[in-house]
Amino acid sequence: MAQEPLLQLKGVSKSFGAVQALYRVDFAAYRGEVMALVGDNGAGKSTLIKGVAGIYPFDEGEVYFDGQPVQIHNPREASALGIEVVYQDLALADNLDVVANMFLGREMIQKPWRLDEAAMERKALETLDSLAVTTIRSVRQPVAELSGGQRQSIAVAKAVMWNSKLVILDEPTAALGVAQTRQVLDLVRRLADNGLAVVLISHNLHDIFEVADRITVLRLGQNVKEFIAADTTHEEVVHAITAGALRHVPGMVKNG
Amino acid sequence: MVLGGKSLSLAGYFREYGKRIRAGDLGALPIILGLLVIATIFQTLNQNYLTPRNFVNLILQMAGITTIAIGVVYVLLLGEIDLSISYVSAVAAVFMTMRLRPPDGWPWFVALIAALIFAAAIGFVQGLIITRFKLPSFVVTLAGFLIWNGVVLILIGNGGTVIIQDPVIIGIANYFLPALWGWIVVVGGAILFAANRVMSWNTRRRRGIASTPALVVALQGLAIILAAVVVVSIANQDRGVPFVGILLLILLVGFTFLAERTPFGRYVYAIGGNAEAARRAGIQVQRIRVLVFMISSFMAGMGGVILASRLRSVDTAAGGGSLMLNSIAAAVIGGTSLFGGSGRVISAFLGALVIASVENGMGLLGLSAGVKFVVTGLVLLLAVLVDAISRRGRARSGVA
């Protein structure tokens, strides 16, 4: 598929003081595809997605969204473009029910200032239906009563409810058991099949080969390689993560 | 499989309810049982306990604490605390009383509104200090507790007592509705309330969202109306429905609406449950917190006015004694968690009812203040234990 990427980063860099977290990284995510972002601890995965999410700006490089050059200064601008991030801690309020969590901060209002519970519940049900999240007994139960996989599903559903085009998932299966992981991976696949661009950060190569279409490997803040998942093997990817060729040796004086 | 659901069947509804109870989600059940136990004990010990006269007294006695406790519920929902409530209530009452004093006294409504605004302003300042300097609310409001205690003493001076002469202000806690008006207001209100519930149930049903069975909604509505009828008929055998009882109902309904039906209330719960999630959702966490401390002080001021009206005066003891502890205890006994995010406005009413019932009963028995404190303390302990045990049950069932 030689289509144009939805999100494209060209040569982005980011440093924190003396630490070069990202150095001239290229990255792309495509509509209807799951792009896995892998790399060892400290490879720059989080820095990359935080830049895209508008948590902080990249020092240099270009960001294209839908073919247009964009600058993302804060999370609100990212949301406005249609970029949603599901962080590892999910950011759910345990004491609120599923509907309240999905609409938190963006409640639907009935005339003066009254929550339109019926409309919100309706839309929450529709969203969960469209994602085939069916294991939840009631959308009116507190999130605290849900399993880890269900919570992850709610966080994802919350992210995609707002006409988002790109969903970034940070380690969605890290804390889950086998059956729960299955549930979430199926959900990730469905997001892509529904036409969204999905970026999946994970340490688990098994999960990645199960759902990803492409794999981008980062190592020491640089991108080593982009693989087509179907054309590569575990060994190749592991090798790239641990010993992939770097264009710039860390510590070497970099000079334009 | 309620997803995309229809109305639950009656059996299904009760099965769900039973499941919740067994899982430890007891709701108001322990309190209602507790109240029954309290009533039985005191009635066997003293035949004057369950009389129309004492019933009306109970409403008068619990009005002040309930009002203050409503504000406490909001603060506790955030996971914060407000220790200054008792003396904020006293300051508001003293302020109003002094502004009413002839010869150049203000009209009652000006003095009342000014006192309430003054109270809210105290909450604004305390809330601002807590949020801006990231200080624990415990310490800031403890300072407030001392400061406003001092201000009360300074304002009243050595005079000791300031009498309230304004008939309207005295009427707040001393006026009783004529029998007919009691019927019209209370039962009429109950019918409106029940009708509202039926309508919102109908809206949900029309939009095809899982709703409770029609029979349950109908029974709930009838129960509300029936309760209103019982209350009015008992009160009318004595002096009638006290005005302050109506005021309490309005406050309870209003603040329940604010907590459960508006975005503001939703944000209060969200911040209490997970402040970071609320912040990321774009909620202005600090602004909400300041507003909640304003609500707390405002309700304290309102409670202070009710207490002063009942005594027809304020003195240097205003806000003292066990007022602060009882108000916080009321919210907690009623089922509001100290850890934030869990509780309802009605718990202010239920908890205050328990405390006032115990105090009232022991007063009838002529027991000393020492015994009252011990028993109230034990009730508080029991309430927290029940909550902790049921919470453990809930956590267990949550994993399933």
Side-chain angles (χ1 to χ4, degrees):
Chain A
M1 272 197 288
Q3 58 155 323
E4 187 189 9
L6 177 67
L7 172 77
Q8 188 164 31
L9 309 183
K10 286 185 181 166
V12 296
S13 300
K14 176 73 188 173
S15 57
F16 300 98
V19 180
Q20 186 82 40
L22 290 177
Y23 186 68
R24 295 192 177 168
V25 170
D26 299 328
F27 180 77
Y30 301 84
R31 284 182 198 83
E33 290 194 4
V34 178
M35 169 62 90
L37 183 58
V38 300
D40 217 339
N41 293 334
K45 307 186 295 284
S46 296
T47 311
L48 187 74
I49 62 159
K50 281 181 178 162
V52 173
I55 307 284
Y56 39 60
F58 293 120
D59 296 337
E60 60 171 346
E62 289 148 32
V63 180
Y64 295 88
F65 195 81
D66 236 345
Q68 302 296 316
V70 291
Q71 307 251 345
I72 304 168
H73 298 101
N74 56 51
R76 196 158 300 167
E77 289 182 18
S79 294
L81 284 173
I83 301 173
E84 293 284 340
V85 185
V86 180
Y87 292 100
Q88 222 169 333
D89 64 3
L90 302 184
L92 298 173
D94 276 350
N95 57 330
L96 296 183
D97 65 31
V98 172
V99 177
N101 266 292
M102 287 177 68
F103 283 87
L104 192 57
R106 314 190 232 199
E107 285 79 5
M108 294 165 91
I109 308 292
Q110 235 166 4
K111 266 185 275 173
W113 22 262
R114 184 177 168 186
L115 296 167
D116 191 348
E117 293 286 358
M120 289 196 282
E121 189 166 333
R122 183 82 263 165
K123 187 164 176 207
L125 285 169
E126 281 167 11
T127 306
L128 291 173
D129 261 358
S130 75
L131 298 173
V133 176
T134 52
T135 61
I136 291 165
R137 190 164 50 84
S138 158
V139 288
R140 284 301 175 189
Q141 63 182 330
V143 166
E145 292 176 4
L146 302 182
S147 70
Q150 289 171 332
R151 294 163 61 89
Q152 187 74 47
S153 304
I154 298 304
V156 171
K158 177 184 176 184
V160 301
M161 194 164 50
W162 307 97
N163 293 322
S164 48
K165 298 171 182 162
L166 172 70
V167 179
I168 302 173
L169 302 163
D170 189 5
E171 297 275 6
T173 58
L176 301 182
V178 176
Q180 309 272 351
T181 299
R182 176 80 266 144
Q183 233 178 63
V184 171
L185 291 181
D186 287 347
L187 177 58
V188 169
R189 192 60 247 172
R190 270 195 301 277
L191 292 180
D193 293 345
N194 287 356
L196 274 78
V198 181
V199 175
L200 174 69
I201 296 180
S202 180
H203 273 109
N204 189 326
L205 284 184
H206 183 262
D207 290 358
I208 284 169
F209 273 95
E210 198 152 323
V211 291
D213 299 294
R214 297 169 197 253
I215 303 168
T216 295
V217 178
L218 287 185
R219 185 161 108 82
L220 300 172
Q222 302 175 32
N223 58 335
V224 176
K225 196 161 182 191
E226 183 184 309
F227 295 99
I228 304 287
D231 303 341
T232 185
T233 62
H234 273 54
E235 288 70 29
E236 251 188 309
V237 175
V238 170
H239 184 263
I241 291 171
T242 54
L246 299 174
R247 278 172 299 161
H248 301 268
V249 177
M252 194 178 75
V253 180
K254 61 171 187 267
N255 220 332
Chain B
M1 281 266 89
V2 182
L3 277 186
K6 291 268 162 319
S7 225
L8 285 164
S9 74
L10 199 58
Y13 178 80
F14 283 111
R15 218 177 306 123
E16 279 290 306
Y17 185 70
K19 212 186 282 174
R20 296 206 81 88
I21 297 276
R22 274 195 303 282
D25 189 357
L26 303 175
L29 215 56
I31 300 232
I32 290 163
L33 287 177
L35 283 167
L36 285 177
V37 171
I38 291 169
T40 316
I41 291 175
F42 285 122
Q43 180 63 15
T44 32
L45 293 176
N46 186 324
Q47 299 302 314
N48 289 326
Y49 189 69
L50 292 177
T51 58
R53 175 158 194 86
N54 203 36
F55 176 76
V56 172
N57 280 344
L58 195 59
I59 298 175
L60 300 176
Q61 282 164 7
M62 67 182 292
I65 290 184
T66 308
T67 308
I68 300 175
I70 290 173
V72 174
V73 168
Y74 274 83
V75 176
L76 292 183
L77 281 177
L78 281 185
E80 306 277 352
I81 190 83
D82 187 347
L83 303 178
S84 69
I85 41 174
S86 54
Y87 286 113
V88 170
S89 81
V91 163
V94 170
F95 179 87
M96 178 193 70
T97 307
M98 301 191 98
R99 294 277 76 79
L100 283 172
R101 214 159 33 168
D104 51 354
W106 297 354
W108 67 269
F109 56 93
V110 179
L112 175 63
I113 291 170
L116 294 179
I117 290 176
F118 182 49
I122 292 173
F124 177 72
V125 172
Q126 291 182 163
L128 214 57
I129 293 172
I130 290 163
T131 52
R132 280 294 134 84
F133 299 100
K134 298 191 176 8
L135 291 172
S137 51
F138 185 93
V139 177
V140 174
T141 58
L142 181 60
F145 176 85
L146 294 168
I147 292 168
W148 302 117
N149 185 6
V151 171
V152 168
L153 296 179
I154 294 167
L155 283 178
I156 294 191
N158 295 324
T161 305
V162 185
I163 308 285
I164 300 175
Q165 286 169 339
D166 187 281
V168 179
I169 297 294
I170 290 177
I172 292 175
N174 293 291
Y175 178 75
F176 299 89
L177 273 70
L180 180 62
W181 277 105
W183 285 111
I184 293 173
V185 173
V186 179
V187 179
I191 290 171
L192 282 182
F193 188 73
N196 181 280
R197 290 192 71 142
V198 170
M199 263 155 55
S200 66
W201 171 80
N202 197 36
T203 311
R204 291 173 58 80
R205 202 179 48 104
R206 259 209 331 272
R207 299 215 209 169
I209 298 162
S211 40
T212 39
L215 188 57
V216 173
V217 177
L219 285 177
Q220 281 172 344
L222 283 178
I224 291 166
I225 295 169
L226 190 67
V229 169
V230 170
V231 166
V232 177
S233 54
I234 294 176
N236 278 350
Q237 286 174 41
D238 186 49
R239 287 151 284 176
V241 176
F243 168 78
V244 75
I246 309 281
L247 181 62
L248 268 191
L249 280 182
I250 293 171
L251 290 172
L252 286 168
V253 170
F255 279 94
T256 299
F257 180 85
L258 182 66
E260 298 181 11
R261 296 274 175 268
T262 67
F264 172 80
R266 178 64 42 88
Y267 298 161
V268 171
Y269 279 94
I271 293 169
N274 186 343
E276 175 61 17
R279 194 186 62 77
R280 279 202 221 150
I283 295 168
Q284 305 226 314
V285 175
Q286 306 302 34
R287 185 194 293 177
I288 303 281
R289 290 171 76 204
V290 173
L291 280 170
V292 165
F293 280 103
M294 288 175 71
I295 289 177
S296 164
S297 288
F298 177 86
M299 292 308 281
M302 187 84 104
V305 169
I306 292 172
L307 291 168
S309 162
R310 182 144 180 269
L311 289 175
R312 298 164 192 259
S313 66
V314 287
D315 55 32
T316 44
S322 55
L323 182 61
M324 181 258 283
L325 296 176
N326 271 348
S327 305
I328 296 174
V332 176
I333 290 173
T336 295
S337 165
L338 277 168
F339 304 108
S342 146
R344 300 188 64 197
V345 169
I346 192 73
S347 63
F349 171 81
L350 292 170
L353 185 56
V354 169
I355 290 178
S357 301
V358 170
E359 288 203 348
N360 173 300
M362 287 193 297
L364 285 181
L365 296 176
L367 295 172
S368 70
V371 181
K372 280 189 199 174
F373 284 164
V374 170
V375 173
T376 310
L378 289 176
V379 170
L380 173 62
L381 191 61
L382 191 66
V384 193
L385 281 175
V386 168
D387 181 57
I389 292 166
S390 73
R391 189 188 305 273
R392 217 183 301 157
R394 240 173 301 170
R396 249 204 312 276
S397 70
V399 187

